[in-house]
Amino acid sequence: LSIRRQRQMCIRDRMTVKQKLQDILMVLSWREMARSYFGKSSGWIYQKLDESNGKKFSDAEKEQLRGALVDLADRIRRAADTI
């Protein structure tokens, strides 16, 4: 890998989950995401996104969030296909 690409990867690895999701933060219902995919409250997911009080997503929770986002993307794509 080029040095530039390695730096980009390092920067990406240090970004918080919230920073990585910046592009879609205002479009999703995080309350519904927390309830439907995690069985948790909106407060729980916001604390994880903001890393408040040192609360971060575990690796398993990150994988679960990734799966939820993929599922949501598939649902949006299917809905768009019906238009």
Side-chain angles (χ1 to χ4, degrees):
L1 293 173
S2 71
I3 292 174
R4 181 176 184 202
R5 180 72 178 134
Q6 288 174 345
R7 285 183 184 152
Q8 288 173 334
M9 290 173 67
C10 265
I11 290 168
R12 189 190 75 221
D13 289 343
R14 287 187 298 220
M15 292 173 67
T16 66
V17 171
K18 186 176 183 179
Q19 290 169 327
K20 291 176 183 177
L21 298 176
Q22 191 64 41
D23 189 42
I24 61 169
L25 280 177
M26 299 307 291
V27 193
L28 288 177
S29 167
W30 292 102
R31 180 188 69 78
E32 188 60 31
M33 178 74 75
R35 188 181 66 77
S36 295
Y37 292 96
F38 291 92
K40 305 280 185 175
S41 69
S42 59
W44 175 86
I45 203 162
Y46 282 116
Q47 284 182 346
K48 297 284 187 161
L49 287 168
D50 291 333
E51 296 185 359
S52 347
N53 301 321
K55 295 181 182 183
K56 297 182 179 182
F57 286 99
S58 68
D59 289 340
E61 289 168 337
K62 285 179 186 177
E63 187 59 30
Q64 190 173 356
L65 179 59
R66 184 181 106 32
L69 291 168
V70 167
D71 179 60
L72 189 55
D74 289 342
R75 290 168 56 194
I76 291 169
R77 191 169 292 112
R78 282 193 308 269
D81 288 344
T82 66
I83 297 173

mmCIF file of all heavy atoms in Angstrom, residues 3-21 49-51 56 62:
data_model
loop_
_atom_site.group_PDB
_atom_site.id
_atom_site.type_symbol
_atom_site.label_atom_id
_atom_site.label_comp_id
_atom_site.label_asym_id
_atom_site.label_seq_id
_atom_site.Cartn_x
_atom_site.Cartn_y
_atom_site.Cartn_z
ATOM 1 N N ILE A 3 1.987 5.048 1.005
ATOM 2 C CA ILE A 3 2.030 5.741 2.299
ATOM 3 C C ILE A 3 0.753 6.547 2.495
ATOM 4 O O ILE A 3 0.179 6.569 3.585
ATOM 5 C CB ILE A 3 3.274 6.642 2.398
ATOM 6 C CG1 ILE A 3 4.531 5.758 2.453
ATOM 7 C CG2 ILE A 3 3.198 7.559 3.609
ATOM 8 C CD1 ILE A 3 5.830 6.522 2.420
ATOM 9 N N ARG A 4 0.274 7.176 1.431
ATOM 10 C CA ARG A 4 -0.958 7.975 1.526
ATOM 11 C C ARG A 4 -2.132 7.090 1.930
ATOM 12 O O ARG A 4 -2.929 7.447 2.799
ATOM 13 C CB ARG A 4 -1.231 8.658 0.194
ATOM 14 C CG ARG A 4 -2.466 9.517 0.224
ATOM 15 C CD ARG A 4 -2.658 10.247 -1.069
ATOM 16 N NE ARG A 4 -3.803 11.121 -0.971
ATOM 17 C CZ ARG A 4 -4.469 11.558 -1.987
ATOM 18 N NH1 ARG A 4 -4.112 11.257 -3.206
ATOM 19 N NH2 ARG A 4 -5.516 12.350 -1.823
ATOM 20 N N ARG A 5 -2.244 5.916 1.290
ATOM 21 C CA ARG A 5 -3.339 5.000 1.599
ATOM 22 C C ARG A 5 -3.233 4.494 3.035
ATOM 23 O O ARG A 5 -4.233 4.366 3.740
ATOM 24 C CB ARG A 5 -3.328 3.825 0.609
ATOM 25 C CG ARG A 5 -4.423 2.831 0.838
ATOM 26 C CD ARG A 5 -5.773 3.400 0.439
ATOM 27 N NE ARG A 5 -6.775 2.380 0.643
ATOM 28 C CZ ARG A 5 -7.932 2.589 1.245
ATOM 29 N NH1 ARG A 5 -8.246 3.790 1.650
ATOM 30 N NH2 ARG A 5 -8.783 1.618 1.416
ATOM 31 N N GLN A 6 -2.029 4.212 3.494
ATOM 32 C CA GLN A 6 -1.820 3.764 4.872
ATOM 33 C C GLN A 6 -2.252 4.842 5.864
ATOM 34 O O GLN A 6 -2.877 4.544 6.879
ATOM 35 C CB GLN A 6 -0.355 3.393 5.094
ATOM 36 C CG GLN A 6 0.053 2.116 4.414
ATOM 37 C CD GLN A 6 1.542 1.846 4.539
ATOM 38 O OE1 GLN A 6 2.330 2.722 4.888
ATOM 39 N NE2 GLN A 6 1.936 0.611 4.247
ATOM 40 N N ARG A 7 -1.930 6.093 5.563
ATOM 41 C CA ARG A 7 -2.348 7.205 6.435
ATOM 42 C C ARG A 7 -3.863 7.330 6.474
ATOM 43 O O ARG A 7 -4.448 7.545 7.532
ATOM 44 C CB ARG A 7 -1.728 8.515 5.969
ATOM 45 C CG ARG A 7 -0.272 8.642 6.302
ATOM 46 C CD ARG A 7 0.273 9.981 5.888
ATOM 47 N NE ARG A 7 1.706 10.035 6.152
ATOM 48 C CZ ARG A 7 2.549 10.781 5.472
ATOM 49 N NH1 ARG A 7 2.118 11.555 4.495
ATOM 50 N NH2 ARG A 7 3.819 10.768 5.771
ATOM 51 N N GLN A 8 -4.500 7.206 5.302
ATOM 52 C CA GLN A 8 -5.954 7.289 5.244
ATOM 53 C C GLN A 8 -6.584 6.183 6.077
ATOM 54 O O GLN A 8 -7.563 6.408 6.789
ATOM 55 C CB GLN A 8 -6.444 7.180 3.796
ATOM 56 C CG GLN A 8 -6.159 8.397 2.964
ATOM 57 C CD GLN A 8 -6.502 8.177 1.498
ATOM 58 O OE1 GLN A 8 -6.502 7.049 1.002
ATOM 59 N NE2 GLN A 8 -6.778 9.261 0.796
ATOM 60 N N MET A 9 -6.019 4.992 5.999
ATOM 61 C CA MET A 9 -6.549 3.868 6.763
ATOM 62 C C MET A 9 -6.366 4.100 8.259
ATOM 63 O O MET A 9 -7.236 3.786 9.058
ATOM 64 C CB MET A 9 -5.888 2.562 6.325
ATOM 65 C CG MET A 9 -6.321 2.130 4.939
ATOM 66 S SD MET A 9 -5.421 0.708 4.302
ATOM 67 C CE MET A 9 -5.988 -0.557 5.418
ATOM 68 N N CYS A 10 -5.219 4.672 8.658
ATOM 69 C CA CYS A 10 -4.974 4.975 10.075
ATOM 70 C C CYS A 10 -5.973 6.001 10.587
ATOM 71 O O CYS A 10 -6.522 5.853 11.676
ATOM 72 C CB CYS A 10 -3.560 5.519 10.265
ATOM 73 S SG CYS A 10 -2.386 4.270 10.715
ATOM 74 N N ILE A 11 -6.193 7.031 9.797
ATOM 75 C CA ILE A 11 -7.144 8.073 10.190
ATOM 76 C C ILE A 11 -8.534 7.469 10.314
ATOM 77 O O ILE A 11 -9.252 7.711 11.280
ATOM 78 C CB ILE A 11 -7.135 9.240 9.175
ATOM 79 C CG1 ILE A 11 -5.812 10.016 9.297
ATOM 80 C CG2 ILE A 11 -8.332 10.163 9.387
ATOM 81 C CD1 ILE A 11 -5.571 10.996 8.171
ATOM 82 N N ARG A 12 -8.941 6.628 9.346
ATOM 83 C CA ARG A 12 -10.255 5.998 9.382
ATOM 84 C C ARG A 12 -10.411 5.120 10.617
ATOM 85 O O ARG A 12 -11.449 5.091 11.251
ATOM 86 C CB ARG A 12 -10.485 5.176 8.116
ATOM 87 C CG ARG A 12 -11.915 4.685 8.005
ATOM 88 C CD ARG A 12 -12.113 3.687 6.906
ATOM 89 N NE ARG A 12 -11.547 2.428 7.355
ATOM 90 C CZ ARG A 12 -10.842 1.597 6.602
ATOM 91 N NH1 ARG A 12 -10.610 1.877 5.352
ATOM 92 N NH2 ARG A 12 -10.379 0.473 7.090
ATOM 93 N N ASP A 13 -9.355 4.408 10.975
ATOM 94 C CA ASP A 13 -9.407 3.530 12.144
ATOM 95 C C ASP A 13 -9.577 4.320 13.437
ATOM 96 O O ASP A 13 -10.135 3.814 14.400
ATOM 97 C CB ASP A 13 -8.148 2.661 12.237
ATOM 98 C CG ASP A 13 -8.120 1.588 11.150
ATOM 99 O OD1 ASP A 13 -9.183 1.308 10.552
ATOM 100 O OD2 ASP A 13 -7.033 1.052 10.900
ATOM 101 N N ARG A 14 -9.097 5.551 13.478
ATOM 102 C CA ARG A 14 -9.211 6.373 14.688
ATOM 103 C C ARG A 14 -10.523 7.133 14.763
ATOM 104 O O ARG A 14 -10.855 7.713 15.791
ATOM 105 C CB ARG A 14 -8.049 7.367 14.759
ATOM 106 C CG ARG A 14 -6.739 6.722 15.116
ATOM 107 C CD ARG A 14 -5.700 7.767 15.336
ATOM 108 N NE ARG A 14 -5.503 8.511 14.102
ATOM 109 C CZ ARG A 14 -4.338 8.924 13.644
ATOM 110 N NH1 ARG A 14 -3.256 8.697 14.313
ATOM 111 N NH2 ARG A 14 -4.246 9.584 12.517
ATOM 112 N N MET A 15 -11.290 7.157 13.685
ATOM 113 C CA MET A 15 -12.559 7.870 13.685
ATOM 114 C C MET A 15 -13.562 7.128 14.553
ATOM 115 O O MET A 15 -13.557 5.903 14.622
ATOM 116 C CB MET A 15 -13.110 7.973 12.256
ATOM 117 C CG MET A 15 -12.293 8.854 11.342
ATOM 118 S SD MET A 15 -12.856 8.776 9.619
ATOM 119 C CE MET A 15 -14.463 9.535 9.751
ATOM 120 N N THR A 16 -14.438 7.884 15.204
ATOM 121 C CA THR A 16 -15.506 7.266 15.981
ATOM 122 C C THR A 16 -16.557 6.725 15.021
ATOM 123 O O THR A 16 -16.606 7.102 13.843
ATOM 124 C CB THR A 16 -16.176 8.280 16.925
ATOM 125 O OG1 THR A 16 -16.845 9.278 16.134
ATOM 126 C CG2 THR A 16 -15.178 8.925 17.868
ATOM 127 N N VAL A 17 -17.402 5.862 15.528
ATOM 128 C CA VAL A 17 -18.498 5.336 14.717
ATOM 129 C C VAL A 17 -19.356 6.500 14.219
ATOM 130 O O VAL A 17 -19.760 6.544 13.059
ATOM 131 C CB VAL A 17 -19.341 4.317 15.519
ATOM 132 C CG1 VAL A 17 -20.597 3.924 14.760
ATOM 133 C CG2 VAL A 17 -18.510 3.085 15.854
ATOM 134 N N LYS A 18 -19.601 7.466 15.069
ATOM 135 C CA LYS A 18 -20.424 8.620 14.687
ATOM 136 C C LYS A 18 -19.784 9.381 13.529
ATOM 137 O O LYS A 18 -20.471 9.780 12.585
ATOM 138 C CB LYS A 18 -20.615 9.545 15.893
ATOM 139 C CG LYS A 18 -21.583 10.688 15.625
ATOM 140 C CD LYS A 18 -21.810 11.498 16.880
ATOM 141 C CE LYS A 18 -22.832 12.593 16.656
ATOM 142 N NZ LYS A 18 -23.079 13.357 17.881
ATOM 143 N N GLN A 19 -18.481 9.578 13.575
ATOM 144 C CA GLN A 19 -17.792 10.271 12.487
ATOM 145 C C GLN A 19 -17.888 9.481 11.182
ATOM 146 O O GLN A 19 -18.069 10.054 10.115
ATOM 147 C CB GLN A 19 -16.324 10.508 12.850
ATOM 148 C CG GLN A 19 -16.131 11.539 13.931
ATOM 149 C CD GLN A 19 -14.714 11.568 14.473
ATOM 150 O OE1 GLN A 19 -14.040 10.546 14.547
ATOM 151 N NE2 GLN A 19 -14.258 12.754 14.850
ATOM 152 N N LYS A 20 -17.791 8.169 11.282
ATOM 153 C CA LYS A 20 -17.876 7.333 10.090
ATOM 154 C C LYS A 20 -19.269 7.375 9.470
ATOM 155 O O LYS A 20 -19.419 7.176 8.266
ATOM 156 C CB LYS A 20 -17.497 5.889 10.426
ATOM 157 C CG LYS A 20 -16.028 5.728 10.764
ATOM 158 C CD LYS A 20 -15.725 4.309 11.180
ATOM 159 C CE LYS A 20 -14.271 4.172 11.598
ATOM 160 N NZ LYS A 20 -13.971 2.805 12.066
ATOM 161 N N LEU A 21 -20.285 7.626 10.271
ATOM 162 C CA LEU A 21 -21.674 7.643 9.797
ATOM 163 C C LEU A 21 -22.200 9.055 9.545
ATOM 164 O O LEU A 21 -23.394 9.252 9.345
ATOM 165 C CB LEU A 21 -22.573 6.933 10.813
ATOM 166 C CG LEU A 21 -22.265 5.460 11.056
ATOM 167 C CD1 LEU A 21 -23.161 4.916 12.162
ATOM 168 C CD2 LEU A 21 -22.431 4.656 9.778
ATOM 169 N N LEU A 49 -22.955 6.323 20.110
ATOM 170 C CA LEU A 49 -22.501 7.154 18.994
ATOM 171 C C LEU A 49 -21.629 8.307 19.474
ATOM 172 O O LEU A 49 -20.636 8.641 18.846
ATOM 173 C CB LEU A 49 -23.697 7.696 18.206
ATOM 174 C CG LEU A 49 -24.450 6.694 17.343
ATOM 175 C CD1 LEU A 49 -25.759 7.292 16.858
ATOM 176 C CD2 LEU A 49 -23.601 6.231 16.168
ATOM 177 N N ASP A 50 -22.021 8.920 20.598
ATOM 178 C CA ASP A 50 -21.287 10.063 21.132
ATOM 179 C C ASP A 50 -20.102 9.651 22.004
ATOM 180 O O ASP A 50 -19.305 10.497 22.397
ATOM 181 C CB ASP A 50 -22.212 10.954 21.968
ATOM 182 C CG ASP A 50 -23.244 11.660 21.117
ATOM 183 O OD1 ASP A 50 -22.978 11.897 19.924
ATOM 184 O OD2 ASP A 50 -24.327 11.971 21.641
ATOM 185 N N GLU A 51 -20.032 8.356 22.309
ATOM 186 C CA GLU A 51 -19.020 7.822 23.218
ATOM 187 C C GLU A 51 -19.064 8.548 24.561
ATOM 188 O O GLU A 51 -18.043 8.858 25.162
ATOM 189 C CB GLU A 51 -17.619 7.869 22.589
ATOM 190 C CG GLU A 51 -17.509 6.983 21.368
ATOM 191 C CD GLU A 51 -16.118 6.900 20.777
ATOM 192 O OE1 GLU A 51 -15.184 7.553 21.290
ATOM 193 O OE2 GLU A 51 -15.961 6.169 19.787
ATOM 194 N N LYS A 56 -18.592 2.928 24.346
ATOM 195 C CA LYS A 56 -18.314 2.741 22.923
ATOM 196 C C LYS A 56 -18.964 1.450 22.462
ATOM 197 O O LYS A 56 -19.287 0.578 23.261
ATOM 198 C CB LYS A 56 -16.811 2.646 22.680
ATOM 199 C CG LYS A 56 -16.040 3.895 23.033
ATOM 200 C CD LYS A 56 -14.574 3.714 22.704
ATOM 201 C CE LYS A 56 -13.784 4.968 23.031
ATOM 202 N NZ LYS A 56 -12.376 4.820 22.666
ATOM 203 N N LYS A 62 -20.598 -3.319 16.810
ATOM 204 C CA LYS A 62 -20.254 -2.703 15.521
ATOM 205 C C LYS A 62 -20.685 -3.613 14.381
ATOM 206 O O LYS A 62 -21.227 -3.148 13.376
ATOM 207 C CB LYS A 62 -18.752 -2.436 15.424
ATOM 208 C CG LYS A 62 -18.283 -1.260 16.245
ATOM 209 C CD LYS A 62 -16.784 -1.091 16.093
ATOM 210 C CE LYS A 62 -16.242 -0.025 17.008
ATOM 211 N NZ LYS A 62 -14.770 0.080 16.909
#
